[in-house]
């Protein structure tokens, strides 16, 4: 999968080089490139934003600069993701859908967002455009949201995870994130014992116990 990220803070995306994502790039499974939006700035001050028409607080990012940054990246295979708290809420099923595509372009807005004609332009020209939010809270910009999405999406791509069995286990329930609790050595820690059933070797009983625990957790936390 090819991933392009456009931002005025390329350094924010440095973690993409670490850990499993870094390895997947070395292996050629992922091709991730981060682009500095400010390099497309036109005026002497390298401005990327201006005041909103109609008044109001904050600044809006300039459409021409976004157009210059996105035009060379977009093609028929591209899905453009515009990060905004007003977008559709990101979840595991959206991650699964995006893990199937060949090219993702992330547009990280700052301030009061990107001039809406950028979305309109690419939609009108028949590109696939998605406004996405990672949750109902307001971040300083889309960079952290892009990191979250890229991690959740790419770990579903074959070869990215160190141990693909982890994925298989997650997909046993519809919502992979509602997992049962886990324990490791030692069997007793402080005054706490690992549940007896997990030491029993009875795989049927273990599976049943884990399903119950996952359901209980979901009831308590969701
Ligand atoms: N930019 C600011 N807040 C955001 C959020 N919650 N999701 C995506 N992009 C954002």
């Amino acid at each position: 999968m090819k991933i392009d990220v456009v931002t005025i803070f390329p350094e924010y995306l440095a973690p993409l080089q670490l850990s499993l994502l870094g390895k997947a790039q070395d292996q050629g499974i992922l091709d991730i490139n981060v682009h500095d939006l400010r390099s497309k700035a036109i005026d002497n001050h390298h401005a990327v934003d201006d005041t909103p028409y109609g008044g109001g607080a904050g600044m809006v990012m300039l459409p021409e600069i976004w157009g210059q940054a996105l035009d060379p990246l977009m093609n028929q295979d591209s899905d453009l993701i515009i990060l905004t708290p007003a977008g559709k809420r990101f979840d595991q099923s959206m991650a699964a859908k995006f893990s199937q595509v060949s090219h993702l372009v992330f547009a990280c807005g700052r301030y009061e967002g990107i001039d809406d004609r950028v979305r309109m332009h690419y939609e009108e020209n028949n590109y696939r455009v998605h406004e996405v939010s990672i949750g109902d809270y307001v971040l300083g910009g889309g960079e952290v949201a892009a990191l979250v999405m890229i991690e959740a999406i790419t770990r579903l791509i074959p070869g990215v995870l160190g141990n693909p069995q982890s994925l298989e286990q997650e997909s046993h329930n519809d919502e992979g994130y509602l997992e049962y609790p886990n324990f490791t050595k030692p069997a007793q820690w402080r005054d706490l014992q690992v549940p007896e059933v997990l030491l029993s070797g009875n795989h049927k009983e273990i599976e049943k116990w884990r399903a119950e625990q996952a359901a209980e957790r979901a009831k308590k936390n969701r």
Side-chain angles (χ1 to χ4, degrees), residues 1 3 13-34 150 159-160:
M1 178 189 278
I3 296 176
L13 284 300
L16 293 176
Q17 302 311 319
L18 301 176
S19 185
L20 294 176
L21 281 184
K23 231 178 254 166
Q25 289 173 83
D26 292 342
Q27 292 170 352
I29 302 169
L30 295 177
D31 175 16
I32 306 181
N33 292 288
V34 180
I150 291 168
V160 172

Side-chain angles (χ1 to χ4, degrees), residues 15-16 21 90 145-156 160:
L16 293 176
L21 281 184
F90 184 60
L147 283 176
V148 166
M149 287 187 66
I150 291 168
E151 185 157 319
I153 291 165
T154 56
R155 66 188 288 285
L156 302 176
V160 172

